[in-house]
């Protein structure tokens, strides 16, 4: 398992709700935490590791053994309130940061690995993380939400990621869009 970089097609996959949690999925989640910590991240969505699960993990401390580890399955963000512009980054666009406008407060609903339903009114960093990560599960990335000015400021960096991706494709390091879609669909059939 590895974190895929923009514009890998898995990042545009809109995931369907998970209907089944098994030991293999729990192992996958544990591996995702290892990858997230290794990359110094605070959130990681399943499609960032080329998997179709409607699931993301988070730990605001960003360090193993610190903070609290969250696994959110089938998350739903609702009741957005307020507006706030804050800098964001993404493990699928390493090194790229830009300010993003988002609702300041949201209601968040999800299930954990034990199948328990969680609902919370969130603000601050947690509100931002759950919106950023739930976006991933809908195939959306934070660079899609940039204002024209902020987009222009990071345009060259975004294009560099696109160039790197094309080169990796030419070197057969990345499967075709069709191969990626087929694999995701197969896993989806098993869990969704
Ligand atoms: Zn991200």
């Amino acid at each position: 398992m590895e974190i895929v970089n923009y514009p890998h097609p898995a990042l545009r996959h809109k995931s369907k709700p998970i209907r089944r949690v098994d030991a293999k999925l729990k192992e996958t989640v544990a591996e995702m935490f290892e990858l997230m910590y290794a990359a110094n991240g605070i959130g990681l969505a399943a499609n960032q590791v080329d998997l179709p699960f409607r699931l993301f993990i988070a730990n605001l401390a960003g360090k193993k053994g610190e903070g609290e580890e969250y696994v959110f399955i089938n998350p739903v963000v609702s009741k957005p309130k307020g507006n706030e512009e804050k800098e964001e980054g993404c493990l699928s666009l390493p090194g790229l940061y830009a300010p993003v406008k988002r609702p300041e407060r949201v209601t968040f609903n999800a299930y954990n690995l034990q199948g328990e339903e969680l609902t919370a009114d969130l603000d601050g960093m947690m509100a931002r993380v759950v919106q950023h990560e739930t976006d991933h599960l809908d195939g959306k990335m934070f660079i899609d939400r940039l204002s024209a000015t902020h987009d222009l400021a990071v345009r060259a960096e975004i294009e560099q990621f696109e160039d790197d991706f094309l080169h990796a494709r030419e070197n057969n390091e990345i499967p075709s869009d069709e191969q990626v879609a087929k694999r995701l669909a197969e896993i989806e059939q098993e869990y969704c």
Side-chain angles (χ1 to χ4, degrees):
M1 184 191 285
E2 60 177 13
I3 297 175
V4 296
N5 278 1
Y6 169 86
H8 191 285
L11 296 167
R12 294 305 184 189
H13 181 79
K14 195 172 177 344
S15 55
K16 297 185 186 117
I18 297 173
R19 298 190 186 280
R20 194 163 78 80
V21 171
D22 61 7
K24 211 165 98 189
L25 188 69
K26 287 179 184 168
E27 256 173 61
T28 298
V29 166
E31 266 185 76
M32 284 175 67
F33 273 109
E34 295 303 321
L35 279 180
M36 183 180 81
Y37 293 135
N40 293 312
I42 57 172
L44 184 66
N47 46 352
Q48 290 183 273
V49 292
D50 198 9
L51 290 170
F53 305 129
R54 198 156 183 86
L55 164 166
F56 70 84
I57 60 168
N59 179 348
L60 294 190
K63 281 204 182 82
K64 195 176 184 164
E66 286 179 31
E68 192 161 349
E69 291 187 342
Y70 297 99
V71 181
F72 294 126
I73 297 171
N74 302 340
V76 177
V77 174
S78 61
K79 297 182 193 147
K81 288 184 191 82
N83 217 303
E84 193 175 39
E85 192 173 57
K86 280 246 165 95
E87 191 165 82
E88 291 188 23
C90 180
L91 294 182
S92 293
L93 285 154
L96 192 153
Y97 300 91
V100 187
K101 249 185 212 158
R102 291 191 193 269
E104 212 178 330
R105 299 181 300 282
V106 294
T107 296
F108 183 68
N109 178 271
Y111 292 84
N112 64 16
L113 276 177
Q114 289 71 46
E116 296 157 343
E117 191 176 4
L118 316 150
T119 303
D121 292 318
L122 302 177
D123 58 15
M125 183 73 107
M126 201 60 187
R128 190 154 286 261
V129 168
V130 304
Q131 291 180 80
H132 176 117
E133 301 303 334
T134 303
D135 265 1
H136 271 304
L137 304 177
D138 291 325
K140 198 167 247 185
M141 296 191 69
F142 86 94
I143 51 171
D144 305 337
R145 295 191 178 276
L146 300 182
S147 70
T149 314
H150 294 319
D151 182 87
L152 194 62
V154 293
R155 193 36 45 197
E157 285 175 75
I158 292 172
E159 281 167 7
Q160 186 62 54
F161 278 104
E162 290 168 355
D163 285 351
D164 292 347
F165 180 81
L166 282 179
H167 282 127
R169 266 257 162 98
E170 280 164 11
N171 295 330
N172 294 315
E173 290 160 23
I174 296 166
S176 70
D177 285 6
E178 292 73 23
Q179 286 169 315
V180 171
K182 186 169 174 273
R183 195 183 138 266
L184 293 177
E186 281 168 6
I187 301 171
E188 217 160 46
Q189 266 199 332
E190 214 182 314
Y191 286 91
C192 304

